[in-house]
Amino acid sequence: IYVFYNPLTYDILYVGKSKDIGKRLYSYWSLGYGKSYDKLQQIMKKDACICVKVIPCEDNYLVEDKIIKKYRPKYNIRHEL
């Protein structure tokens, strides 16, 4: 699980998950990544920081969903409560 957050307010901007966090983050900084790249540009304009938490694979979806429902990050798709 990785979280982009605003270091001044600690607001969570985006929550994601990946089996290979290095590849995922590299792809965000690669040119022409499409909609995800555009989203990242908006997040980075806010001088976001990133936090990475290693969680067993079977729990990733549950933890990500719980964080999204609790904090409602601006750049995640809204989930039904």
Side-chain angles (χ1 to χ4, degrees):
I1 300 282
Y2 58 95
V3 176
F4 284 101
Y5 67 94
N6 181 320
L8 300 175
T9 63
Y10 293 99
D11 290 336
I12 294 176
L13 303 172
Y14 181 75
V15 179
K17 64 188 169 309
S18 177
K19 288 184 180 183
D20 189 335
I21 190 73
K23 281 185 181 179
R24 175 65 53 89
L25 294 178
Y26 176 78
S27 71
Y28 284 153
W29 274 270
S30 298
L31 294 176
Y33 191 70
K35 289 182 181 179
S36 292
Y37 180 77
D38 294 339
K39 183 189 303 184
L40 179 70
Q41 292 300 317
Q42 293 297 316
I43 293 170
M44 296 313 287
K45 284 180 184 176
K46 299 182 182 312
D47 296 324
C49 291
I50 188 166
C51 175
V52 176
K53 174 85 173 163
V54 178
I55 297 171
C57 289
E58 61 272 3
D59 296 334
N60 279 345
Y61 290 102
L62 297 173
V63 173
E64 181 192 34
D65 191 54
K66 190 180 221 180
I67 294 170
I68 290 171
K69 284 180 178 178
K70 182 174 181 177
Y71 296 102
R72 302 181 53 83
K74 180 177 181 176
Y75 294 98
N76 280 94
I77 295 172
R78 298 292 186 219
H79 290 251
E80 293 296 321
L81 297 176

